[in-house]
Amino acid sequence: MIKRRLFKFKKTSDKNIEDLMNNRLWISNLYLMNDPMDLAFFVDSKKVKIDFDNNDVIKFQAHITKHIFCASFTTVFSNKRLWNYYSDGFFGFALGYKPTDIRKSINALNLQSIEDKITYANTRFDYTNLFRAFLQRKNMQIPIPQKSLFTKDKSWSEEKEYRFSIQNPIFKVDDKGFKLLNVKPCVIYVGYKIKKDALFSIISYCEKNNIPLNVYMPKFDSKELGFQNIKFFNLLLD
């Protein structure tokens, strides 16, 4: 169980700023994640013993992943790829959370979760029995291999993801996600290109809640390629 800070990158939008102001954090279902193979599974066609095609596998993947909700974080904020991709090229921001606060917020909604760091490996897990049950329209009570929820292709290893996997029957299969409530970041990093109106909102929020604010930007005063973290202000020593 991790103790270090967990970071969530956000693009600047009215919805994301509003969620921050109200201490909410959006949690998506696995179906909407950006990696189509985020659930590391395979089906052994020889063992299925029922006629099927690729469309059946796609429907099965959608059925499984729409029932699983993931709170995905990274253990690092100083990664150019994350800033470029998830914060809209340094126009967004990164929220740093205490893992204990994430756990409290999940528990407050009476949800059950399992958590672990992502293992990056070219590994897949056998979902053949689950797939057969899906084709036969049986009650799919076969347990999902837990490691498959925490395994991704090596090409994603730079992200250093840490994940909370949430499975709970109170959500409908067509729910895209939900929001954790009453969860505050303990530090915020803004990209150096962030728009002034968004920056002013975040400054006001940090001042009100005694949260350190930092700017992440390239090192323009050096021939070497690199980035630097500059303290905007630090109201809270943690």
Side-chain angles (χ1 to χ4, degrees), residues 134-145:
F134 173 78
L135 291 177
Q136 295 173 336
R137 293 179 171 81
K138 292 183 178 180
N139 189 4
M140 297 171 62
Q141 296 299 320
I142 303 169
I144 292 175

Side-chain angles (χ1 to χ4, degrees), residues 18-143:
E18 181 181 354
D19 280 346
L20 173 62
M21 298 299 111
N22 290 281
N23 302 318
R24 301 188 298 243
L25 185 62
W26 170 254
I27 306 300
S28 171
N29 67 25
L30 198 61
Y31 181 71
L32 298 177
M33 301 296 236
N34 57 358
D35 179 4
M37 291 300 293
D38 212 317
L39 188 63
F41 79 91
F42 74 91
V43 172
D44 189 335
S45 58
K46 295 180 180 179
K47 295 180 180 179
V48 175
K49 298 180 179 179
I50 301 173
D51 290 336
F52 70 93
D53 57 27
N54 284 335
N55 287 330
D56 293 317
V57 179
I58 292 171
K59 290 177 183 178
F60 168 71
Q61 181 192 39
H63 178 81
I64 292 289
T65 54
K66 285 181 179 180
H67 282 85
I68 301 171
F69 299 82
C70 285
S72 294
F73 302 87
T74 176
T75 57
V76 294
F77 72 87
S78 56
N79 182 293
K80 186 174 70 171
R81 172 179 171 173
L82 299 179
W83 279 102
N84 283 335
Y85 190 82
Y86 295 106
S87 79
D88 194 22
F90 289 86
F91 282 98
F93 52 96
L95 306 173
Y97 292 95
K98 296 178 181 178
T100 52
D101 290 339
I102 300 298
R103 296 179 191 117
K104 287 178 183 178
S105 185
I106 292 173
N107 292 337
L109 293 175
N110 294 317
L111 300 176
Q112 300 294 322
S113 70
I114 52 177
E115 62 179 275
D116 203 351
K117 64 180 180 180
I118 293 295
T119 297
Y120 298 97
N122 297 326
T123 302
R124 293 291 178 263
F125 297 85
D126 192 345
Y127 272 48
T128 303
N129 291 336
L130 271 168
F131 180 59
R132 187 188 301 112
F134 173 78
L135 291 177
Q136 295 173 336
R137 293 179 171 81
K138 292 183 178 180
N139 189 4
M140 297 171 62
Q141 296 299 320
I142 303 169

Side-chain angles (χ1 to χ4, degrees), residues 5-27:
R5 298 292 181 263
L6 297 174
F7 298 94
K8 190 76 172 179
F9 282 81
K10 292 286 185 179
K11 296 180 179 180
T12 297
S13 67
D14 291 341
K15 181 176 67 174
N16 286 339
I17 293 294
E18 181 181 354
D19 280 346
L20 173 62
M21 298 299 111
N22 290 281
N23 302 318
R24 301 188 298 243
L25 185 62
W26 170 254
I27 306 300

